[in-house]
Amino acid sequence: MKVGYFQFKPEYCNPEKNISIIEKNLSGIDIDLIVLPELANSGYLFSRRDDLFRSSENISGGIFINALKRISSKNKFHIVSGICERSENKFYNTSVLICPEGKVITYRKLHLFDTEKKWFEAGNMPISAIEINGKKFGKVRIGMMICFDWIFPETMRTLALKGAQIICHPSNLVMPYCQRAMTTRALENHVFTITANRTGMETAGGKTLTFTGQSVIVSPKGKYLQKASKNRKECAIVKINPKEALDKKINPVNDLFKDRRKKFYFNE
Ligand code: ACM
């Protein structure tokens, strides 16, 4: 199975421009699953509610979702992308999985970071693994989480326990830890991870954020399979065998899931 990321700098509050960047760079690539950054339609650093209105959309059919559906169906690959979602005048920091036949599956970010709490509602949907089926790769279970979700190990653990083999991780990272930590997250769960981070800077309300790029793909053994630059637009594709993520043994004796001592763990 061929999987990858597209790292780029989404233009603030300009979904049309972001669609054109994505369409131009993804058309014709030979891949089965591609992951895009968090809030890929809208940009990140909001300082006015009006900007959220202008760049957000309903998952049932806005310009960004319709463009992703068109690109997915035309090129016959699956897309995972961050999207600024509007639903009944509330906003969610959301990730969508788009299948070539038009199916859309949604995950809303559970753990909001910093000023996101001012603009977005926290996610209100269960963490789940989604089965996709492709002629070239068979049945594979996909998990989605968004950026800061990584620092709560329960997020990826839950996805892995539910059977996810590939964790798709749209991101707008600003702290320097995640790209290193993903080797541990992948190893402790024996899953593939694809962190698609953004590049560039945004300034609003007297605050400037620099996004750290360095998108990473990690194997179930915790090895980097791909790592992007800090600040360039980059599309990477790697060939993986998702079945490797079904084996939770770390040696003939130990199994990451079966060896858990659940009754001794803290149960809130
Ligand atoms: C983040 O969650 N965008 C840092």
Side-chain angles (χ1 to χ4, degrees):
M1 181 178 190
K2 290 181 182 169
V3 302
Y5 53 73
F6 176 45
Q7 166 174 300
F8 72 106
K9 171 184 174 297
E11 291 293 322
Y12 182 72
C13 208
N14 195 344
E16 291 84 358
K17 172 80 189 197
N18 294 323
I19 290 166
S20 96
I21 297 171
I22 292 165
E23 190 142 32
K24 191 166 145 211
N25 284 275
L26 299 195
S27 290
I29 63 168
D30 178 17
I31 200 165
D32 301 305
L33 168 69
I34 183 102
V35 185
L36 310 181
E38 178 182 10
L39 297 172
N41 58 335
S42 61
Y44 184 79
L45 191 55
F46 293 101
S47 59
R48 296 171 346 133
R49 206 172 153 82
D50 270 4
D51 288 354
L52 275 137
F53 263 103
R54 291 215 328 266
S55 50
S56 60
E57 62 182 56
N58 202 288
I59 298 299
S60 62
I63 54 163
F64 191 74
I65 284 284
N66 288 340
L68 293 184
K69 280 182 169 176
R70 185 177 69 242
I71 296 166
S72 168
S73 134
K74 195 167 146 203
N75 294 281
K76 307 230 172 331
F77 52 60
H78 293 74
I79 303 175
V80 170
S81 177
I83 179 167
C84 184
E85 179 194 356
R86 182 173 358 120
S87 174
E88 292 167 352
N89 282 342
K90 290 185 175 146
F91 301 103
Y92 295 91
N93 184 336
T94 294
S95 175
V96 283
L97 165 64
I98 314 256
C99 305
E101 69 276 12
K103 200 161 83 176
V104 179
I105 295 106
T106 299
Y107 162 74
R108 290 171 171 164
K109 188 175 187 176
L110 286 175
H111 307 97
L112 298 175
F113 179 70
D114 200 12
T115 54
E116 289 171 31
K117 290 192 178 188
K118 185 169 169 190
W119 307 112
F120 295 106
E121 305 294 316
N124 52 7
M125 294 170 161
I127 295 172
S128 56
I130 308 124
E131 186 174 277
I132 61 171
N133 200 347
K135 272 201 197 101
K136 285 190 273 171
F137 56 83
K139 288 183 180 164
V140 175
R141 292 180 84 84
I142 303 294
M144 291 189 276
M145 60 179 211
I146 303 174
C147 205
F148 192 54
D149 280 334
W150 77 267
I151 212 163
F152 301 88
E154 295 88 346
T155 317
M156 205 192 292
R157 179 63 108 199
T158 306
L159 285 168
L161 287 170
K162 289 195 168 185
Q165 294 157 267
I166 304 172
I167 309 298
C168 300
H169 184 210
S171 294
N172 279 186
L173 294 159
V174 290
M175 295 192 296
Y177 314 119
C178 175
Q179 292 90 338
R180 274 184 287 136
M182 290 309 276
T183 58
T184 305
R185 287 285 169 279
L187 177 64
E188 70 197 2
N189 292 294
H190 266 202
V191 290
F192 289 93
T193 66
I194 306 170
T195 299
N197 196 19
R198 64 161 288 174
T199 58
M201 284 163 73
E202 283 186 6
T203 299
K207 184 171 174 173
T208 296
L209 290 180
T210 303
F211 301 95
T212 56
Q214 300 170 94
S215 296
V216 286
I217 303 178
V218 185
S219 78
K221 298 245 162 82
K223 248 185 70 182
Y224 288 121
L225 300 177
Q226 194 66 243
K227 189 167 188 179
S229 67
K230 277 189 180 161
N231 44 28
R232 280 195 307 276
K233 185 169 73 185
E234 281 177 50
C235 183
I237 303 172
V238 298
K239 210 167 166 191
I240 63 164
N241 178 3
K243 287 200 170 68
E244 282 175 32
L246 297 174
D247 179 9
K248 302 301 177 187
K249 284 204 164 306
I250 52 169
N251 60 39
V253 175
N254 294 111
D255 183 292
L256 285 172
F257 286 2
K258 291 192 186 130
D259 286 356
R260 294 168 72 231
R261 306 295 310 279
K262 285 180 282 185
K263 72 175 178 188
F264 292 103
Y265 300 158
F266 184 54
N267 208 340
E268 286 160 270

